[in-house]
Amino acid sequence: MSTASFSSPPTSHSPLHPKLLFKLPCSSIISSIPSSFNYLPATPVLSSTNFRGRLHVNVDNSGRSHIGIAESANMFKEEAHCSTRDDDPIRERLVPQPCRPVPLVSALRSSARQDAASFHFPGHNRGRAAPSSLTDLIGIGPFLHDLPELPELDNLFSPSGPILEAQREASELFGSSETWFLVGGTTCGVQAAVMSTCSPGDVIVLPRNSHISAISAMVLSGAIPKYIIPEYSSQWDITGGISVQQVKKALDELAWEGRKASAVFLTSPTYHGLCSNIDQISKLCHSVGVPLIVDEAHGAHLGLHHELPPSALNQGADVSIQSTHKVLCSLTQSSMLHMSGNIVDRDRISRSLQILQSTSPSYLLLASLDAARAQLSENRESLFNKAIDLSLNTRMQIEEIHSITVLCPSNFCSCCSIDPLRLTVGFWQLGLSGYEADDVLYEDHEIVCELVENQSITFAMNLGTCEEHVRRLISAIKQLSLRSSTGKIKGKLRNGCHQLKPFVEINRRMSPREAFFARKKRVNIEECIGRISGELICPYPPGIPVVIPGEVITNSGLEYLLEAKRNGAAISGASDSGLSSIVVCCE
């Protein structure tokens, strides 16, 4: 395996990086699922091989069995330094010694330990009937703890026990007045936030590049969008943040029309880690009595370290929704909704979440949120030190590679900072699209990135990122640059700038809700220009809609979608994935 030169960890922090205003150097960090969630002993009912090792059953004098997970099998070559073994010395240094309670994890552990005669759901009955194909993959542990709303485990929609206590612990950590655990991802949190602030016919100000969840929220709430066109870079073919001037212009335009926004909705940070100035925007919103909602899906870690940008709550947002599973360490699909102050009706948030979330929430997801919070509570600053140093050092080394460009805040006037754990790398100077570069990195070096786009690739650094993987990434990009410059790799990208813009023309004829319930028909792609779209279509990821129900389909928007498809993007939302036809509203 090829490796790139990599500086050894220094004893003190380096000077600030001139572009990022963040400190440098590097080291590795290993962190898997939080330690408080790793071992939840319980009565065994099946014997199985676990992904992390073989389950060992010990029987004590009482005759009750307790199950534990053996030391992890060494699943990596000896030279790799990214072990996820539980006895890994790096991991041991990160294990928090919880002084604060982990209420939901503790309750789940106690409930699973019961030697109960179970006559309740789910059907696998604490693992007794678990499918062997899955237990062979992940072991019996998840099934032992996949329990329903037993009395001792509390009720997500009317919490009074461990869920309530866990949410209060999270509220204290993240600085909210109240926090709700979400098992429907940030999507259901965004929907609940909009539904709690907007009634049918109310206006919501939001960027046109908002996530698909914001569009579905308008369908559910009946809110009318007042779009802000985000700053766009043709060089990168990505959108940036929103400025306070843009928000003021939108609010002023509504005032001239005799209307007032019921909420302002922003996304910060973006998928690429670009942060808007939430502090200025929140002060503007509050000066006119408008609540500010921030989709902070990619920023659950913000504000937890002095070198990370401040969180939305720290900057005055009234509601923020965070994907705890993205950069932090809860299980996928688990998120949190935070509220601050009293501008937003907390009871309406609760009622909205009760409508949107499952009545059979996964306690594995809920407990993982509690565990992720506990992991942070005892480490706060130190937990992120090595991850940030490693990321900034990686950025510095990639910037030095010939014909490689790295995204920084100066590329966008509307952005005041960037998440140092998000690296977006451009390959256009090599004549390569992001899709072409990704093919090489994956097929030749087994590097799996977070996001591939026309002009760039985005790599997500996190608490589990390790030096060996970073060395592989830097080495791979160096080889890609060398092979391209010597003609061994030839891309199809002919121009450094992307010629098509996704949001040039926006003409809304119906609200998203009206379009959703309107009569529709399918037309050939050649006939759809000028018609009202009846479906939401977007390249995914990142999940930013190019065509929204209720908007007139434009030639530029359609060409953007077709080019994205030709370049390898997956097109989400279209009933015809081949884009040979589109569903339109009957007028």
Side-chain angles (χ1 to χ4, degrees), residues 173-176 179 182 185-187 189-191 193 207 210-211 213-214 264-279 292-305 308-328 334-340 416-417 419 422:
L173 173 68
F174 292 100
S176 69
T179 290
L182 309 177
T186 293
T187 290
V190 166
Q191 293 168 341
S210 297
H211 187 263
S213 58
V264 170
F265 178 93
L266 297 180
T267 301
S268 182
T270 66
Y271 210 141
H272 306 91
L274 298 166
C275 300
S276 299
N277 194 324
I278 300 299
D279 180 63
L292 174 62
I293 303 167
V294 178
D295 176 355
E296 205 172 18
H298 293 272
H301 58 302
L302 299 189
L304 296 176
H305 187 279
L308 293 171
S311 69
L313 288 184
N314 288 341
Q315 298 180 80
D318 299 290
V319 177
S320 73
I321 311 96
Q322 300 176 335
S323 294
T324 318
H325 65 91
K326 290 192 187 302
V327 178
L328 302 182
S334 59
S335 296
M336 297 187 193
L337 185 153
H338 306 293
M339 185 186 79
S340 180
C416 60
S417 60
D419 176 7
R422 203 61 55 94

XYZ file of all heavy atoms in Angstrom, residues 173-176 179 182 185-187 189-191 193 207 210-211 213-214 264-279 292-305 308-328 334-340 416-417 419 422:
583
model
N -26.270 19.750 27.560
C -25.031 19.710 26.780
C -25.074 20.666 25.601
O -24.109 21.402 25.345
C -24.780 18.282 26.281
C -23.599 18.118 25.318
C -22.274 18.359 26.037
C -23.606 16.724 24.682
N -26.173 20.681 24.869
C -26.251 21.461 23.639
C -26.775 22.883 23.857
O -26.836 23.669 22.913
C -27.103 20.739 22.597
C -26.471 19.477 22.075
C -26.861 18.230 22.552
C -25.458 19.540 21.129
C -26.268 17.071 22.075
C -24.855 18.381 20.650
C -25.260 17.142 21.130
N -27.157 23.212 25.073
C -27.538 24.583 25.376
C -28.922 24.976 24.920
O -29.164 26.141 24.586
N -29.861 24.039 24.917
C -31.230 24.341 24.502
C -32.115 24.517 25.729
O -31.751 24.137 26.846
C -31.787 23.202 23.632
O -31.983 22.018 24.407
N -35.024 19.708 24.434
C -34.520 18.851 23.354
C -35.427 17.647 23.196
O -35.886 17.060 24.189
C -33.083 18.385 23.655
O -32.187 19.499 23.548
C -32.629 17.301 22.682
N -35.174 12.163 18.115
C -35.864 11.848 16.861
C -35.402 10.497 16.333
O -34.203 10.229 16.275
C -35.570 12.918 15.810
C -35.797 14.380 16.212
C -35.377 15.308 15.072
C -37.253 14.623 16.600
N -34.922 10.655 11.810
C -33.884 11.493 11.230
C -34.211 12.973 11.343
O -35.254 13.378 11.885
N -33.311 13.788 10.814
C -33.531 15.233 10.824
C -34.722 15.609 9.945
O -35.347 16.651 10.150
C -32.245 15.949 10.363
O -31.235 15.731 11.354
C -32.446 17.440 10.197
N -35.064 14.753 8.992
C -36.218 15.019 8.132
C -37.477 15.284 8.944
O -38.174 16.285 8.728
C -36.440 13.840 7.172
O -35.388 13.817 6.210
C -37.771 13.965 6.442
N -37.662 16.144 12.007
C -37.456 17.336 12.826
C -37.686 18.612 12.054
O -38.286 19.577 12.566
N -37.212 18.650 10.814
C -37.454 19.812 9.948
C -38.949 19.964 9.701
O -39.503 21.075 9.780
C -36.687 19.662 8.624
C -37.176 20.666 7.588
C -35.188 19.827 8.859
N -39.613 18.868 9.425
C -41.051 18.921 9.182
C -41.798 19.435 10.408
O -42.692 20.277 10.299
C -41.559 17.533 8.783
C -41.035 17.066 7.436
C -41.304 15.590 7.175
O -41.562 14.831 8.106
N -41.235 15.183 5.918
N -40.589 21.328 12.828
C -40.256 22.734 13.070
C -41.096 23.657 12.188
O -41.582 24.701 12.645
C -38.769 22.960 12.821
N -34.006 29.269 1.672
C -33.165 29.194 0.477
C -33.744 28.193 -0.526
O -34.334 27.178 -0.125
C -31.809 28.705 1.009
C -31.870 28.854 2.485
C -33.304 28.758 2.861
N -32.756 24.417 -0.194
C -33.081 23.685 1.034
C -33.270 22.206 0.735
O -33.640 21.802 -0.373
C -34.360 24.237 1.673
O -34.182 25.580 2.069
N -33.037 21.410 1.759
C -33.163 19.961 1.628
C -34.602 19.571 1.302
O -35.552 20.315 1.598
C -32.713 19.291 2.937
C -32.637 17.804 2.871
N -33.654 16.981 3.305
C -31.648 16.988 2.436
C -33.301 15.721 3.140
N -32.093 15.693 2.609
N -36.534 17.727 2.740
C -37.406 17.683 3.919
C -38.140 19.009 4.113
O -39.264 19.030 4.621
C -36.590 17.338 5.167
O -35.554 18.286 5.379
N -37.512 20.122 3.735
C -38.175 21.417 3.857
C -39.330 21.533 2.866
O -40.360 22.155 3.162
C -37.175 22.552 3.626
N -38.310 32.023 9.287
C -37.184 31.996 8.358
C -36.469 30.675 8.582
O -36.205 30.276 9.724
C -36.219 33.177 8.587
C -34.934 32.995 7.772
C -36.896 34.493 8.222
N -36.174 29.992 7.493
C -35.555 28.665 7.552
C -34.227 28.710 6.791
O -34.177 29.156 5.642
C -36.488 27.638 6.912
C -35.944 26.234 6.869
C -36.223 25.333 7.882
C -35.149 25.807 5.808
C -35.726 24.038 7.837
C -34.649 24.525 5.752
C -34.932 23.635 6.772
N -33.154 28.272 7.430
C -31.831 28.264 6.797
C -31.162 26.912 6.964
O -31.489 26.150 7.886
C -30.929 29.338 7.419
C -31.335 30.799 7.289
C -30.306 31.676 7.986
C -31.459 31.196 5.821
N -30.202 26.636 6.098
C -29.358 25.452 6.224
C -27.942 25.909 6.526
O -27.318 26.605 5.733
C -29.352 24.624 4.924
O -30.694 24.236 4.615
C -28.474 23.399 5.072
N -27.440 25.547 7.693
C -26.078 25.931 8.075
C -25.579 24.978 9.159
O -26.240 24.836 10.194
C -26.044 27.364 8.594
O -24.724 27.763 8.934
N -24.474 24.278 8.904
C -23.640 24.336 7.715
C -24.284 23.582 6.551
O -25.188 22.780 6.741
C -22.347 23.643 8.164
C -22.799 22.667 9.218
C -23.922 23.352 9.936
N -23.782 23.863 5.350
C -24.219 23.119 4.179
C -23.542 21.753 4.172
O -22.712 21.436 5.030
C -23.841 23.867 2.894
O -22.394 23.883 2.785
C -24.362 25.292 2.908
N -23.890 20.950 3.188
C -23.263 19.628 3.045
C -21.740 19.770 2.962
O -20.990 18.895 3.405
C -23.795 18.950 1.783
C -23.847 17.430 1.840
C -24.923 16.748 1.282
C -22.832 16.686 2.415
C -24.995 15.367 1.313
C -22.893 15.301 2.448
C -23.976 14.647 1.899
O -24.036 13.281 1.930
N -21.271 20.887 2.426
C -19.835 21.101 2.260
C -19.201 21.790 3.462
O -18.020 22.133 3.426
C -19.587 21.933 0.994
C -20.220 21.341 -0.234
N -21.497 21.683 -0.623
C -19.776 20.423 -1.121
C -21.815 20.992 -1.717
N -20.796 20.232 -2.040
N -19.983 22.000 4.529
C -19.448 22.586 5.749
C -19.441 24.095 5.780
O -18.878 24.693 6.701
N -20.053 24.759 4.801
C -20.077 26.223 4.746
C -21.128 26.779 5.693
O -22.286 26.350 5.666
C -20.351 26.684 3.315
C -19.292 26.276 2.279
C -19.828 26.471 0.866
C -17.999 27.055 2.483
N -20.726 27.735 6.518
C -21.605 28.272 7.559
C -22.021 29.707 7.251
O -21.182 30.547 6.919
C -20.896 28.244 8.910
S -20.400 26.590 9.456
N -23.310 29.972 7.389
C -23.823 31.334 7.274
C -23.661 32.040 8.613
O -23.449 31.412 9.648
C -25.297 31.314 6.862
O -25.475 30.694 5.607
N -23.810 33.365 8.588
C -23.697 34.143 9.813
C -25.048 34.126 10.531
O -25.868 35.036 10.382
C -23.270 35.574 9.508
C -22.819 36.321 10.751
O -23.367 36.126 11.828
N -21.811 37.171 10.598
N -25.270 33.079 11.300
C -26.543 32.901 11.986
C -26.762 33.994 13.027
O -27.900 34.419 13.275
C -26.599 31.508 12.644
C -26.443 30.410 11.576
C -27.899 31.321 13.407
C -27.516 30.405 10.532
N -25.695 34.470 13.636
C -25.814 35.503 14.662
C -26.495 36.751 14.104
O -27.457 37.262 14.690
C -24.429 35.842 15.209
C -24.471 36.909 16.294
O -25.086 36.655 17.345
O -23.921 38.003 16.075
N -36.440 31.862 13.879
C -35.430 31.349 12.961
C -35.233 29.857 13.203
O -34.902 29.433 14.314
C -34.105 32.085 13.158
C -32.906 31.562 12.354
C -33.168 31.677 10.851
C -31.627 32.298 12.730
N -35.435 29.083 12.152
C -35.216 27.633 12.178
C -33.952 27.338 11.387
O -33.779 27.832 10.272
C -36.401 26.876 11.539
C -37.715 27.214 12.240
C -36.159 25.369 11.552
C -38.946 26.749 11.474
N -33.068 26.520 11.950
C -31.836 26.178 11.255
C -31.745 24.660 11.077
O -31.787 23.904 12.056
C -30.587 26.683 12.005
C -29.313 26.268 11.267
C -30.632 28.207 12.143
N -31.665 24.249 9.821
C -31.365 22.854 9.496
C -29.866 22.671 9.713
O -29.052 23.048 8.868
C -31.761 22.570 8.045
C -31.395 21.156 7.594
O -30.755 20.420 8.376
O -31.728 20.799 6.448
N -29.515 22.107 10.853
C -28.127 21.934 11.249
C -27.746 20.455 11.186
O -26.993 19.954 12.021
C -27.913 22.492 12.660
C -26.500 22.930 12.960
C -26.384 23.662 14.292
O -27.297 23.549 15.139
O -25.364 24.352 14.485
N -28.292 19.772 10.176
C -28.065 18.330 10.061
C -26.585 17.981 10.064
O -26.181 16.966 10.640
C -28.722 17.811 8.780
N -25.780 18.821 9.421
C -24.344 18.536 9.318
C -23.530 19.223 10.404
O -22.301 19.270 10.314
C -23.837 18.955 7.941
C -24.386 18.126 6.825
N -23.790 16.960 6.406
C -25.495 18.266 6.067
C -24.498 16.429 5.422
N -25.542 17.203 5.203
N -24.192 19.730 11.443
C -23.459 20.507 12.439
C -23.747 20.141 13.878
O -23.656 21.007 14.755
N -24.062 18.879 14.157
C -24.337 18.485 15.545
C -23.125 18.686 16.446
O -23.261 18.838 17.659
C -24.781 17.023 15.598
N -21.941 18.708 15.853
C -20.705 18.852 16.628
C -20.283 20.301 16.803
O -19.351 20.582 17.561
C -19.587 18.094 15.921
C -19.337 18.561 14.513
N -20.315 18.559 13.537
C -18.222 19.063 13.905
C -19.819 19.023 12.405
N -18.552 19.338 12.602
N -20.930 21.218 16.105
C -20.499 22.616 16.169
C -20.692 23.176 17.579
O -21.652 22.855 18.275
C -21.262 23.466 15.158
C -21.092 23.089 13.686
C -21.723 24.146 12.788
C -19.632 22.880 13.323
N -19.752 24.012 17.982
C -19.816 24.611 19.301
C -19.273 23.746 20.417
O -19.197 24.190 21.567
N -18.865 22.513 20.105
C -18.366 21.601 21.138
C -16.854 21.668 21.292
O -16.280 20.964 22.123
C -18.791 20.160 20.816
C -20.302 19.906 20.824
C -20.607 18.472 20.403
C -20.894 20.182 22.212
N -16.208 22.485 20.471
C -14.753 22.661 20.547
C -14.454 24.093 20.121
O -15.124 24.647 19.241
C -14.052 21.657 19.627
C -12.560 21.632 19.739
N -11.755 22.554 19.106
C -11.725 20.800 20.415
C -10.487 22.282 19.383
N -10.446 21.229 20.174
N -14.139 24.799 16.402
C -15.290 24.570 15.542
C -16.146 25.826 15.507
O -16.202 26.572 16.487
C -16.117 23.392 16.064
C -15.466 22.011 15.998
C -16.313 20.994 16.760
C -15.269 21.559 14.554
N -16.814 26.090 14.394
C -17.730 27.236 14.366
C -18.792 27.095 15.457
O -19.110 25.977 15.887
C -18.355 27.150 12.966
C -17.366 26.377 12.151
C -16.751 25.389 13.094
N -19.355 28.194 15.928
C -20.398 28.113 16.959
C -21.655 27.441 16.420
O -21.928 27.473 15.219
C -20.650 29.575 17.331
C -20.207 30.355 16.136
C -19.056 29.587 15.548
N -22.413 26.853 17.313
C -23.660 26.197 16.910
C -24.717 27.250 16.613
O -24.596 28.427 16.975
C -24.154 25.273 18.016
O -24.600 26.031 19.136
N -25.798 26.813 15.971
C -26.898 27.724 15.661
C -27.547 28.256 16.933
O -27.903 29.433 17.019
C -27.932 27.011 14.790
N -27.713 27.403 17.936
C -28.302 27.853 19.194
C -27.434 28.910 19.857
O -27.937 29.882 20.425
C -28.509 26.674 20.146
C -29.620 25.675 19.810
C -29.725 24.636 20.915
C -30.956 26.362 19.603
N -26.125 28.710 19.789
C -25.213 29.693 20.377
C -25.312 31.049 19.692
O -24.906 32.070 20.259
C -23.763 29.207 20.282
C -23.483 28.068 21.229
O -24.219 27.853 22.192
N -22.431 27.304 20.971
N -25.841 31.056 18.475
C -25.952 32.294 17.705
C -27.382 32.835 17.661
O -27.674 33.733 16.882
C -25.443 32.073 16.280
C -23.975 31.673 16.203
C -23.534 31.465 14.775
O -23.243 32.416 14.054
N -23.474 30.222 14.354
N -28.251 32.268 18.482
C -29.581 32.850 18.612
C -30.697 32.179 17.850
O -31.815 32.700 17.831
N -30.449 31.031 17.218
C -31.533 30.333 16.514
C -32.587 29.888 17.518
O -32.285 29.546 18.666
C -30.985 29.132 15.752
N -33.837 29.871 17.081
C -34.936 29.447 17.950
C -35.126 27.942 17.927
O -35.494 27.340 18.939
C -36.235 30.139 17.518
C -36.122 31.645 17.625
O -36.075 32.157 18.758
O -36.041 32.305 16.569
N -34.896 27.336 16.776
C -34.979 25.879 16.635
C -33.824 25.425 15.761
O -33.544 26.038 14.720
C -36.320 25.436 15.990
C -36.342 23.930 15.778
C -37.504 25.857 16.846
N -33.147 24.356 16.162
C -32.149 23.734 15.294
C -32.383 22.233 15.304
O -32.777 21.666 16.331
C -30.714 24.051 15.738
O -30.372 23.341 16.906
N -32.166 21.629 14.170
C -32.344 20.188 14.037
C -31.019 19.601 13.592
O -30.447 20.036 12.589
C -33.449 19.827 13.023
C -34.720 20.633 13.314
C -33.758 18.345 13.089
C -34.890 21.891 12.517
N -30.517 18.631 14.341
C -29.180 18.093 14.112
C -29.219 16.583 13.863
O -29.902 15.852 14.588
C -28.278 18.366 15.320
C -28.087 19.829 15.651
C -27.276 20.019 16.911
O -27.225 19.147 17.781
N -26.620 21.158 17.035
N -28.468 16.146 12.869
C -28.284 14.713 12.626
C -27.142 14.222 13.511
O -25.977 14.267 13.116
C -27.977 14.455 11.147
O -29.073 14.782 10.334
N -27.474 13.765 14.682
C -26.466 13.316 15.649
C -25.629 12.173 15.085
O -24.485 11.968 15.498
C -27.160 12.872 16.950
O -28.208 13.792 17.270
C -26.181 12.794 18.103
N -26.185 11.464 14.113
C -25.485 10.306 13.556
C -24.456 10.674 12.493
O -23.646 9.832 12.113
C -26.500 9.337 12.936
C -27.231 9.912 11.752
N -26.785 9.774 10.460
C -28.382 10.621 11.673
C -27.619 10.373 9.637
N -28.604 10.903 10.344
N -24.441 11.899 12.012
C -23.544 12.223 10.902
C -22.095 12.366 11.354
O -21.222 11.622 10.904
C -24.014 13.491 10.183
C -25.294 13.313 9.380
C -25.543 14.482 8.469
C -26.888 14.407 7.778
N -27.089 13.203 6.968
N -21.792 13.330 12.202
C -20.419 13.520 12.666
C -20.236 12.955 14.072
O -19.168 12.465 14.418
C -20.024 15.007 12.628
C -18.604 15.211 13.150
C -20.127 15.536 11.194
N -21.293 13.013 14.875
C -21.248 12.391 16.194
C -21.533 10.897 16.044
O -21.600 10.388 14.931
C -22.232 13.086 17.128
C -21.986 14.598 17.303
C -22.979 15.185 18.288
C -20.553 14.886 17.737
N -30.862 8.533 13.706
C -31.186 9.178 14.981
C -30.721 10.631 14.963
O -29.616 10.933 14.532
C -30.533 8.434 16.142
O -29.122 8.379 16.000
N -31.576 11.530 15.422
C -31.302 12.965 15.407
C -31.883 13.610 16.649
O -32.534 12.954 17.467
C -31.902 13.618 14.146
O -31.304 13.131 12.965
N -31.659 14.912 16.776
C -32.226 15.683 17.875
C -32.787 17.001 17.349
O -32.248 17.585 16.409
C -31.175 15.994 18.942
C -30.583 14.797 19.644
S -29.504 15.302 21.012
C -28.666 13.735 21.359
N -33.855 17.435 17.984
C -34.422 18.755 17.719
C -34.240 19.580 18.991
O -34.635 19.155 20.084
C -35.894 18.655 17.349
C -36.612 19.943 16.920
C -37.784 19.624 15.990
C -37.143 20.756 18.110
N -33.632 20.757 18.852
C -33.383 21.640 19.981
C -34.194 22.923 19.828
O -34.263 23.495 18.735
C -31.899 22.012 20.066
C -30.964 20.851 20.095
N -30.895 19.971 21.143
C -30.040 20.421 19.185
C -29.967 19.057 20.896
N -29.446 19.309 19.717
N -34.753 23.379 20.937
C -35.484 24.649 20.944
C -34.848 25.581 21.969
O -34.393 25.145 23.030
C -36.947 24.424 21.301
C -37.804 25.690 21.204
S -39.506 25.453 21.782
C -39.264 25.528 23.551
N -34.821 26.866 21.638
C -34.299 27.862 22.558
C -35.297 29.009 22.673
O -35.891 29.419 21.671
C -32.947 28.396 22.068
O -32.413 29.362 22.949
N -19.223 32.726 6.543
C -18.303 33.325 7.511
C -17.288 32.317 8.036
O -16.278 32.703 8.624
C -19.079 33.936 8.672
S -20.103 32.770 9.588
N -17.541 31.029 7.862
C -16.607 30.010 8.340
C -16.918 28.689 7.665
O -17.910 28.550 6.932
C -16.697 29.858 9.866
O -18.010 29.483 10.251
N -16.640 24.258 8.392
C -16.376 23.160 9.317
C -15.033 22.530 8.954
O -14.859 22.026 7.840
C -17.495 22.125 9.195
C -17.269 20.893 10.061
O -16.315 20.872 10.865
O -18.060 19.939 9.928
N -14.788 18.929 7.280
C -15.353 18.649 5.958
C -14.374 19.134 4.898
O -14.042 20.314 4.847
C -16.701 19.360 5.818
C -17.652 18.777 4.785
C -18.056 17.340 5.064
N -18.632 17.118 6.367
C -19.923 17.126 6.649
N -20.792 17.394 5.696
N -20.352 16.866 7.867
